[in-house]
């Protein structure tokens, strides 16, 4: 057999075999491409919103008249309600306070309704009902009364979805139906609210076909805002999911996710639901990208329930992505072995791939180890108590950032190895600032801990006489003394572990503890029990 015949009968089929999986992996629909482009422009949309917020907050500083201040606070609430939980919470409270100063019962009620919306966004059903039950409905104008009834309906619908049982869920759906009827009755004929609320009611009643007709009518409308489009498309996607039409649901959720990005909506489920459907379909690559976006949005918005919900799904998809990477590594190794049978240039190419695969395997082990540690951490947090639950979202964000950095570092090293730019690799390694990374880790820990234990410093100082109480500098959140016992409060009592975390020797930690305990008002043996008794939020 001559050389030409060998190339035709062996090399060409082999190259075709190599090309087929690559094509399948890179194929993407135009809609997904558009969503990925919108994600790249996400910061631009957020900056537009932040500019509007900055202008409103600047105006608010110069306003002394309560009525005018109420108008600006209401505008700020509307900007923040699906963007930042803490800020929206603050301005809903501010609206109630201004209403009390004005002795205006309608403004007070409006503030309570807005406060209820924020509580519901955080999954606090009881607190939502507590706020709404104090509203004097009879004094409200129809526009606010409609908002009140719809919020009560949504609360009961969400509670039914949360329980998903055969006894309570039907009761909650029935109550929701009564309230949404009131909201529909107060809506103008042909308006978005009337059509959407009617469609939602029909969906919850199981009348999917009738609901679908109304929601499709809204989707085809040219008058929808981005927010209305996102809500309507997400609701309609539920019908397709129930009918097993996942491709249609994916198309709708892509539209909803793009609209949420354009609107800078962080409190939204479209991206999360899209990631779940793509994961179910086997598109792990896009599912992983979108679940990370959902996690970033949940962390930015700040509602604990959403972060917990996204974290659970992120763990599953991340695990499968790692398995997918491992499978790709195995396939590439087989391809590399086959290519060793070719000419000298191809043998050289195979050698380079083999070296890269070895580095990829090491990186994969690091990712697997990090993911395994993350799973153990989440398991411990879920089994412990409320304290550890608060840290799930924090650790996911932190580890995600380090995985991203590691991935960028790996690709940079690989590129420089291929081009034999070894001096650039040394420069890249030397530019890693471990001290800065550790300082940033401590700062993030301090912020997260003080969010969970806002009175920790006050209660810690109460264990000491005035002359021995700690006083922090203006730029400090916690110092070393406080950080040691913050770790103790979180359940880390092993001195060796504390020393490792804070980069001190064990003797230093022992000395810190002994010095601090010797100044306290309580016996040394009871000091750590007193630290563990400090309450969280």
């Amino acid at each position: 057999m001559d050389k030409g015949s060998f190339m035709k009968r062996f090399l060409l089929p082999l190259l075709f075999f190599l090309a087929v999986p690559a094509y399948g992996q890179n194929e993407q629909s135009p809609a997904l491409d558009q969503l990925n482009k919108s994600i790249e422009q996400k910061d631009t949309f957020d900056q537009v919103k932040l500019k509007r917020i900055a202008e409103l907050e600047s105006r608010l500083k110069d306003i002394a008249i309560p009525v005018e201040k109420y108008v600006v606070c209401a505008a700020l609430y509307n900007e923040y309600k699906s963007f930042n939980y803490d800020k929206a919470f603050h301005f809903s409270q501010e609206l109630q306070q201004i209403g009390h100063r004005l002795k205006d019962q309608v403004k007070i009620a409006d503030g309570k309704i807005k406060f209820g919306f924020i509580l519901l966004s955080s999954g606090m059903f009881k607190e939502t009902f507590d706020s709404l039950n104090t509203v004097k409905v009879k004094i409200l104008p129809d526009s606010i009364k409609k908002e009140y009834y719809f919020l009560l309906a949504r609360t009961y619908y969400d509670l039914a979805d949360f329980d998903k049982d055969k006894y309570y869920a039907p009761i909650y759906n029935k109550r929701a139906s009564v309230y949404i009827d009131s909201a529909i009755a107060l809506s103008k004929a042909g308006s978005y609210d009337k059509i959407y609320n009617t469609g939602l009611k029909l969906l919850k009643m199981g009348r999917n076909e009738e609901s679908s007709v109304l929601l499709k009518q809204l989707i085809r409308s040219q008058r929808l805002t981005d927010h209305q489009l996102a809500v309507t498309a997400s609701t309609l996607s539920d019908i397709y999911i129930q009918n097993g039409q996942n491709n249609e649901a994916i198309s709708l959720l892509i539209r909803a996710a793009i609209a949420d990005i354009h609107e800078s909506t962080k409190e939204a489920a479209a991206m999360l639901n899209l990631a779940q459907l793509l994961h179910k379909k086997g598109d792990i690559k896009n599912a992983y990208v979108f679940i990370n976006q959902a996690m970033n949005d949940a962390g930015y918005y700040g509602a604990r329930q959403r972060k917990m919900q996204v974290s659970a799904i992120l763990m599953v998809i991340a695990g499968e992505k790692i398995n997918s990477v491992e499978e790709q590594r195995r396939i590439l190794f087989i391809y590399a072995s086959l290519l060793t049978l070719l000419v000298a240039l191809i043998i050289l190419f195979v050698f380079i791939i083999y070296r890269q695969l070895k580095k990829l395997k090491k990186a994969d082990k690091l990712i697997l180890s990090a993911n395994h540690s993350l799973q153990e951490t989440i398991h411990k947090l879920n089994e412990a108590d409320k304290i550890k639950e608060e840290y799930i979202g924090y650790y996911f964000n932190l580890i995600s950032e380090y995985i991203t950095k590691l991935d960028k570092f790996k690709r940079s090293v690989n590129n420089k190895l291929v081009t034999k730019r070894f001096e650039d690799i040394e420069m890249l390694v030397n530019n890693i600032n471990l001290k800065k990374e550790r300082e940033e880790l401590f700062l993030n820990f301090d912020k997260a801990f003080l969010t969970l234990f806002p009175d920790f410093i006050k209660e810690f100082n109460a264990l000491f006489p005035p002359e021995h109480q700690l006083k922090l500098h203006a730029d400090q959140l916690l110092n070393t003394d406080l950080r040691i016992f913050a770790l103790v409060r979180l359940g880390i009592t092993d001195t060796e572990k504390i020393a490792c975390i804070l980069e001190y020797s064990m003797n230093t930690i022992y000395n810190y503890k002994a010095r601090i305990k010797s100044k306290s008002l309580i016996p040394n043996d009871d000091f750590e029990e007193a630290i563990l008794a400090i309450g969280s939020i």
Side-chain angles (χ1 to χ4, degrees):
M1 180 184 297
D2 60 24
K3 183 176 180 181
S5 177
F6 171 81
M7 293 294 286
K8 290 179 180 178
R9 298 185 60 179
F10 177 75
L11 180 57
L12 293 179
L14 176 61
L15 292 177
F16 176 78
F17 176 66
L18 293 173
V20 170
Y23 175 79
Q25 290 172 354
N26 293 330
E27 187 178 7
Q28 289 184 331
S29 71
L32 286 172
D33 289 339
Q34 185 180 357
L35 176 54
N36 281 309
K37 289 178 182 177
S38 294
I39 290 173
E40 293 174 2
Q41 299 170 346
K42 195 174 185 180
D43 288 342
T44 302
F45 293 112
D46 287 350
Q47 288 303 317
V48 173
K49 189 176 190 71
L50 289 170
K51 183 179 179 181
R52 289 199 307 269
I53 290 172
E55 290 172 355
L56 287 170
E57 290 182 340
S58 178
R59 283 175 53 193
L60 186 63
K61 293 178 182 178
D62 299 327
I63 296 176
I65 301 174
V67 174
E68 295 179 3
K69 190 172 184 179
Y70 187 92
V71 173
V72 178
C73 284
L76 281 165
Y77 165 83
N78 287 327
E79 292 287 354
Y80 278 124
K81 68 178 182 180
S82 296
F83 187 64
N84 185 296
Y85 172 81
D86 290 334
K87 290 288 188 178
F89 187 100
H90 166 75
F91 282 107
S92 66
Q93 294 283 67
E94 187 72 17
L95 289 172
Q96 294 179 64
Q97 293 172 12
I98 297 173
H100 281 292
R101 288 200 293 273
L102 292 171
K103 297 181 180 180
D104 187 329
Q105 294 300 319
V106 174
K107 286 183 170 56
I108 294 171
D110 188 35
K112 289 180 178 179
I113 294 170
K114 288 176 168 53
F115 183 52
F117 176 87
I118 295 306
L119 294 173
L120 180 60
S121 297
S122 187
M124 302 168 69
F125 296 108
K126 176 184 178 302
E127 292 78 1
T128 302
F129 285 123
D130 289 343
S131 179
L132 295 180
N133 286 340
T134 62
V135 173
K136 298 178 181 179
V137 184
K138 293 182 180 180
I139 67 170
L140 299 177
D142 287 350
S143 60
I144 299 178
K145 196 179 294 184
K146 177 181 67 175
E147 182 182 351
Y148 168 81
Y149 285 130
F150 177 73
L151 183 57
L152 268 176
R154 182 190 158 186
T155 305
Y156 276 115
Y157 281 142
D158 287 359
L159 191 54
D161 290 339
F162 180 81
D163 286 354
K164 290 184 179 178
D165 69 327
K166 295 182 179 179
Y167 181 78
Y168 288 105
I171 295 175
Y172 294 144
N173 278 325
K174 185 175 180 180
R175 292 179 185 174
S177 181
V178 173
Y179 286 117
I180 206 167
D181 279 341
S182 298
I184 293 170
L186 292 169
S187 301
K188 294 181 180 179
S191 67
Y192 169 82
D193 288 340
K194 193 174 192 71
I195 298 174
Y196 174 78
N197 291 346
T198 305
L200 178 61
K201 177 189 173 183
L202 292 170
L203 170 61
K204 296 299 183 180
M205 293 173 65
R207 295 161 62 179
N208 289 359
E209 288 299 325
E210 298 171 69
S211 174
S212 176
V213 170
L214 291 175
L215 295 176
K216 287 177 181 178
Q217 176 185 338
L218 285 178
I219 291 289
R220 289 192 294 267
S221 171
Q222 299 298 319
R223 296 176 288 107
L224 295 186
T225 65
D226 282 328
H227 180 68
Q228 290 171 341
L229 174 60
V231 172
T232 307
S234 292
T235 306
L236 182 56
S237 72
D238 289 341
I239 297 176
Y240 285 117
I241 292 171
Q242 291 177 29
N243 294 338
Q245 297 172 285
N246 286 348
N247 287 336
E248 290 80 356
I250 288 172
S251 297
L252 284 167
L253 288 171
I254 289 173
R255 293 184 66 181
I258 291 172
D260 283 332
I261 292 172
H262 291 177
E263 190 70 14
S264 290
T265 298
K266 306 299 182 183
E267 197 282 314
M271 195 75 77
L272 171 62
N273 293 336
L274 176 60
Q276 288 179 283
L277 285 182
L278 290 173
H279 168 252
K280 184 177 180 180
K281 190 179 178 181
D283 187 353
I284 304 301
K285 178 182 177 181
N286 281 307
Y288 185 72
V289 171
F290 299 148
I291 196 65
N292 271 304
Q293 288 297 319
M295 188 66 198
N296 292 338
D297 285 345
Y300 191 98
Y301 183 68
R304 184 171 66 89
Q305 182 200 35
R306 179 52 54 84
K307 289 189 284 187
M308 293 289 294
Q309 182 184 12
V310 177
S311 296
I313 300 168
L314 174 60
M315 183 176 66
V316 175
I317 295 177
E320 292 201 18
K321 179 173 175 60
I322 291 171
N323 292 336
S324 175
V325 171
E326 181 63 24
E327 178 64 17
Q328 291 176 16
R329 187 200 65 81
R330 187 184 67 83
I331 293 172
L332 285 174
F333 183 79
I334 294 173
Y335 294 164
S337 299
L338 292 174
L339 288 172
T340 57
L341 302 175
L342 301 177
V343 294
L345 290 176
I346 298 178
I347 292 175
L348 177 61
F349 180 68
V350 170
F351 174 75
I352 295 173
I353 291 179
Y354 176 74
R355 292 288 301 273
Q356 291 175 336
L357 287 174
K358 288 181 65 177
K359 292 176 174 60
L360 178 61
K361 184 176 180 180
K362 291 179 181 179
D364 287 344
K365 287 181 179 179
L366 290 175
I367 295 173
L368 286 169
S369 175
N371 186 63
H372 179 69
S373 299
L374 182 59
Q375 291 175 344
E376 290 182 348
T377 301
I378 292 175
H379 179 69
K380 292 177 182 178
L381 290 173
N382 286 334
E383 290 181 346
D385 54 16
K386 178 182 176 182
I387 296 173
K388 294 178 177 61
E389 290 180 5
E390 291 288 344
Y391 278 86
I392 291 177
Y394 163 72
Y395 281 113
F396 265 115
N397 284 331
L398 188 62
I399 292 177
S400 178
E401 289 176 6
Y402 281 114
I403 290 175
T404 301
K405 290 180 181 179
L406 178 61
D407 183 58
K408 289 181 180 178
F409 180 78
K410 184 197 74 176
R411 284 187 283 141
S412 179
V413 170
N414 283 343
N415 289 336
K416 289 176 172 51
L417 281 172
V418 171
T419 56
K420 298 184 179 181
R421 293 160 58 188
F422 301 112
E423 294 181 356
D424 289 350
I425 296 175
E426 182 179 2
M427 184 182 301
L428 188 64
V429 172
N430 291 335
N431 284 336
I432 298 176
N433 191 337
L434 295 179
K435 180 179 179 182
K436 181 179 179 182
E437 293 288 341
R438 184 165 290 276
E439 289 174 353
E440 183 178 345
L441 177 64
F442 285 158
L443 178 60
N444 287 333
F445 170 80
D446 295 348
K447 289 179 180 177
F449 181 82
L450 291 176
T451 299
L452 185 58
F453 297 92
D455 296 328
F456 180 79
I457 298 174
K458 178 182 176 182
E459 295 188 36
F460 182 87
N461 276 332
L463 303 176
F464 300 88
E467 64 272 15
H468 292 309
Q469 291 181 357
L470 293 176
K471 295 181 180 179
L472 298 172
H473 298 300
D475 59 343
Q476 282 185 309
L477 295 177
L478 297 176
N479 60 15
T480 302
D481 293 356
L482 289 168
R483 206 171 282 130
I484 290 172
F485 287 98
L487 291 170
V488 171
R489 179 60 187 89
L490 293 175
I492 304 174
T493 57
D494 187 350
T495 302
E496 184 178 356
K497 289 183 179 179
I498 295 175
C500 181
I501 292 171
L502 299 180
E503 276 199 334
Y504 288 108
S505 67
M506 290 181 60
N507 286 337
T508 301
I509 299 299
Y510 278 124
N511 291 336
Y512 267 106
K513 284 187 173 182
R515 174 175 57 79
I516 293 170
K517 291 178 181 179
S518 67
K519 298 177 182 179
S520 69
L521 296 171
I522 58 178
N524 289 359
D525 293 341
D526 299 332
F527 186 80
E528 292 194 11
E529 289 295 327
I531 294 295
L532 292 172
I534 294 176
S536 63
I537 56 173

